[in-house]
Amino acid sequence: LIVNKADLMNDDLRKNCADYFKTHNIKYIFFSAVNEIEKMEKGESLSQPEKIDQSDYRIFTRNDLVQYIKEIGETIPKTIPEKEKPVSNNNKKNNNKNQNNNALMVGFIGYPNVGKSSIINVLMKTKKAAVANIPGRTKHYQTLFLPEEPNLNIFPKSICLVDCPGLIFPSFTTSKADMLVNGIYPIDTLSDIYNP
């Protein structure tokens, strides 16, 4: 779980959230795409080592997030188990040849307007995904390979980022008005002004 926009939370709130996540065995990190974008706009290098805050509720930097993704990727098997591979002889040859060439696929899913595309832009170090201050800007599924960074041991086509439109789960929301107030649903679709 990446808690983006963590720059809007004070230390106490982040600490309380961290305690909650730990109690419920949820792996989490706090992040601020806005802070990292500001660093890029000021020309500050995102690849320089920074003073590391080891607290459970610290806000991760771009490099911290890249390292975290890499560490998680190292725990996931990169190949299809032998018994699940297709049986065809052609596929068997191709699978053996490409066995070690699989990229780690990292998907970003969540409510609209939580900063999925902004995080991807920070990781890519340039604007590759469209962003807007209204929900629903991302309309299509998009894949992008993380740029090569030898100092972080990121090599060509080793990590693929997957951006998708925001997902709304109606069973978790109380009403359309609730979704509008919480910035999940685009306000330009508003027809009933009283409930929100």
Side-chain angles (χ1 to χ4, degrees), residues 5 7 10 17 23 43 46 50-51 57 71 85 103 108 110 112 127-129 144 168 172 174 180 183-184:
K5 306 184 184 186
D7 56 306
N10 63 29
C17 288
T23 303
L46 299 181
E50 299 178 24
K51 183 181 175 190
Y57 54 93
E71 287 169 18
K85 287 184 182 177
F108 289 79
K127 188 174 180 180
K128 293 283 187 176
L144 299 160
I168 298 172
F172 293 112
T174 54
L180 281 160
I184 297 168

Side-chain angles (χ1 to χ4, degrees), residues 82 85-97:
E82 201 63 42
K85 287 184 182 177
V87 186
S88 141
N89 287 333
N90 291 339
N91 284 341
K92 199 177 218 180
K93 288 176 191 170
N94 290 337
N95 282 335
N96 290 335
K97 196 190 314 179

Side-chain angles (χ1 to χ4, degrees), residues 3-188:
V3 181
N4 191 26
K5 306 184 184 186
D7 56 306
L8 301 176
M9 304 166 74
N10 63 29
D11 286 353
D12 289 337
L13 182 54
R14 284 199 315 274
K15 187 176 184 313
N16 289 338
C17 288
D19 291 341
Y20 174 85
F21 295 143
K22 282 187 280 188
T23 303
H24 290 82
N25 293 322
I26 298 170
K27 290 184 180 180
Y28 67 93
I29 63 166
F30 294 104
F31 190 74
S32 172
V34 169
N35 285 354
E36 298 301 298
I37 288 169
E38 285 175 3
K39 286 181 193 176
M40 286 191 290
E41 287 173 352
K42 289 179 184 174
E44 294 177 27
S45 172
L46 299 181
S47 59
Q48 296 299 319
E50 299 178 24
K51 183 181 175 190
I52 298 174
D53 173 8
Q54 293 298 333
S55 66
D56 290 341
Y57 54 93
R58 70 186 172 102
I59 297 176
F60 274 46
T61 64
R62 178 197 177 271
N63 287 352
D64 294 334
L65 182 54
V66 170
Q67 282 300 129
Y68 190 71
I69 289 169
K70 256 186 64 188
E71 287 169 18
I72 289 174
E74 289 166 1
T75 66
I76 299 170
K78 297 279 191 294
T79 57
I80 301 167
E82 201 63 42
K83 63 184 177 188
E84 293 179 21
K85 287 184 182 177
V87 186
S88 141
N89 287 333
N90 291 339
N91 284 341
K92 199 177 218 180
K93 288 176 191 170
N94 290 337
N95 282 335
N96 290 335
K97 196 190 314 179
N98 297 325
Q99 197 164 359
N100 296 322
N101 294 334
N102 296 334
L104 172 65
M105 303 293 285
V106 181
F108 289 79
I109 59 170
Y111 277 131
N113 214 34
V114 294
K116 298 178 296 296
S117 297
S118 295
I119 293 172
I120 287 175
N121 287 338
V122 168
L123 291 172
M124 295 298 296
K125 292 185 173 180
T126 185
K127 188 174 180 180
K128 293 283 187 176
V131 294
N133 60 359
I134 55 165
R137 178 66 180 96
T138 303
K139 304 270 190 247
H140 305 285
Y141 176 90
Q142 176 178 234
T143 58
L144 299 160
F145 284 103
L146 205 61
E148 179 179 7
E149 291 184 75
N151 61 323
L152 292 176
N153 290 323
I154 306 296
F155 301 106
K157 298 197 172 180
S158 61
I159 297 177
C160 183
L161 308 176
V162 182
D163 192 13
C164 78
L167 304 174
I168 298 172
F169 304 97
S171 59
F172 293 112
T173 58
T174 54
S175 67
K176 190 172 180 179
D178 179 51
M179 290 190 289
L180 281 160
V181 169
N182 287 298
I184 297 168
Y185 206 76
I187 200 163
D188 60 352

